[in-house]
C-alpha cells in the first residue's frame, strides 16, 4: 500500500514563531487532507488539497502532487495550535472503497 | 455548516460485551467510513460502505465487526464481543462521492474496554 511519512515527528515552538510541516507520499494520489487533532482527540479538517495552494487564516498548505509531497505552514503560532497534525491521502482506484491512509503525525507544542 | 455527528462521545464496556457506535453522516452524502485510532498511534482505516454494502475493509475488520445503515440517517459500527485491544477512538466519516472527494470526520467515540 501507499506509504505516508510526516516530518518532523515532534516540534516545539515559541508563541509567534512560524513553522513548516511536511508530508511525503510514495505514490500518486487523488485526495490529500490535513487534520489537526486537538487535546480532546477530535480530528479537525484543515485542508482538502490534492494539488495547489490554499490559505485559511494563519494556516496555509501546498501540495505538489507530481513530486509527491505536501507542506503545511503555520504562521504566528499560538498555544491553541498545539496538538497533532495528520496528513492523509487516497490512492486512485476504480474498485476500492476510497480509504484514506494516514501518516504518523507531527506533534506540535507551542509554548507561551 | 453540515457536520458528521457521533454518539456516544465516550463508552466504557466490559470485555466480551457488544457495543454499537452510532454516526449520523452529512445528509446528502452517499459514502461512509469508519476509522480507528489506538491511543498514541496513527489513524487506521476499518471499512467503507456504499449502497448498503461494504466497499472495502481492512485486515482489522474481522468477523467481530459489522456495519449497518438501519435507516436513512444513521450509520452504525457493531463490535460483537469486545476485547481489551478494541479500546480506541473510533471515527466516522462521510463523503459526497467517491474518487478523490473530501471526507468529513465526526468528533469520534472513545471506547474503553475493561
Amino acid at each position: 500500500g501507499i506509504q505516508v511519512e510526516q516530518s518532523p515527528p515532534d516540534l516545539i515552538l515559541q508563541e509567534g514563531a512560524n513553522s513548516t510541516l511536511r508530508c511525503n507520499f510514495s505514490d500518486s494520489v487523488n485526495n490529500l487532507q490535513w487534520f489537526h487533532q486537538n487535546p480532546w482527540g477530535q480530528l479537525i479538517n484543515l485542508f482538502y488539497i490534492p494539488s495547489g495552494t490554499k490559505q485559511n487564516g494563519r494556516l496555509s498548505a501546498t501540495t505538489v502532487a507530481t513530486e509527491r509531497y505536501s507542506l503545511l505552514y503555520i504562521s504566528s503560532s499560538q498555544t491553541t495550535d498545539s496538538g497533532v497534525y495528520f496528513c492523509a491521502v487516497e490512492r486512485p482506484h476504480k474498485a476500492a472503497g476510497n480509504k484514506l491512509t494516514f501518516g504518523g503525525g507531527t506533534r506540535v507544542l507551542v509554548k507561551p | 455548516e453540515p457536520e458528521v455527528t457521533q454518539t456516544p462521545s465516550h463508552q466504557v464496556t466490559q470485555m466480551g460485551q457488544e457495543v454499537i457506535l452510532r454516526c449520523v453522516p452529512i445528509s446528502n452524502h452517499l459514502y461512509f467510513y469508519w476509522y480507528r485510532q489506538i491511543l498514541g498511534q496513527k489513524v487506521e482505516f476499518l471499512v467503507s460502505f456504499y449502497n448498503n454494502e461494504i466497499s472495502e475493509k481492512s485486515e482489522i475488520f474481522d468477523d467481530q465487526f459489522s456495519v449497518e445503515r438501519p435507516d436513512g440517517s444513521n450509520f452504525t459500527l457493531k463490535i460483537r464481543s469486545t476485547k481489551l485491544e478494541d479500546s480506541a477512538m473510533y471515527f466516522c466519516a462521510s463523503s459526497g462521492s467517491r474518487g478523490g472527494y473530501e471526507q468529513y470526520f465526526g468528533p469520534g467515540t472513545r471506547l474503553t474496554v475493561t
Side-chain angles (χ1 to χ4, degrees), chain B residues 24-76:
Chain B
V24 178
I26 293 174
S27 61
N28 60 346
H29 283 185
L30 300 175
Y31 294 82
F32 314 115
Y33 313 85
W34 284 102
Y35 293 82
R36 181 181 85 172
Q37 184 186 30
I38 294 171
L39 187 63
Q41 297 186 20
K42 65 169 74 173
V43 179
E44 303 171 289
F45 169 78
L46 286 179
V47 66
S48 58
F49 189 86
Y50 168 69
N51 201 25
N52 278 322
E53 60 183 30
I54 290 173
S55 305
E56 186 179 0
K57 59 183 181 180
S58 70
E59 294 171 354
I60 305 167
F61 195 88
D62 61 22
D63 292 343
Q64 292 298 312
F65 292 90
S66 62
V67 288
E68 192 179 29
R69 187 150 163 83
D71 53 43
S73 58
N74 289 284
F75 179 50
T76 62

Side-chain angles (χ1 to χ4, degrees), chain A residues 2-49:
Chain A
I2 192 168
Q3 304 299 311
V4 184
E5 301 291 334
Q6 291 186 242
S7 60
D10 296 280
L11 191 57
I12 299 175
L13 300 169
Q14 206 61 43
E15 198 169 28
N18 303 327
S19 64
T20 301
L21 282 58
R22 188 177 180 102
C23 172
N24 291 334
F25 41 96
S26 61
D27 212 332
S28 59
V29 299
N30 60 356
N31 179 8
L32 188 146
Q33 295 182 231
W34 281 97
F35 298 88
H36 175 217
Q37 188 163 41
N38 64 22
W40 296 271
Q42 296 174 333
L43 283 176
I44 310 299
N45 282 31
L46 294 178
F47 293 102
Y48 163 70
I49 186 165

Side-chain angles (χ1 to χ4, degrees), chain B residues 12-19 80-87 112-114:
Chain B
V12 181
T13 190
Q14 289 192 324
M15 201 166 48
Q17 296 296 304
E18 174 184 287
V19 295
R80 256 180 276 283
S81 178
T82 50
K83 307 184 188 86
L84 294 175
E85 54 265 36
D86 293 327
S87 294
T112 302
V113 183
T114 61

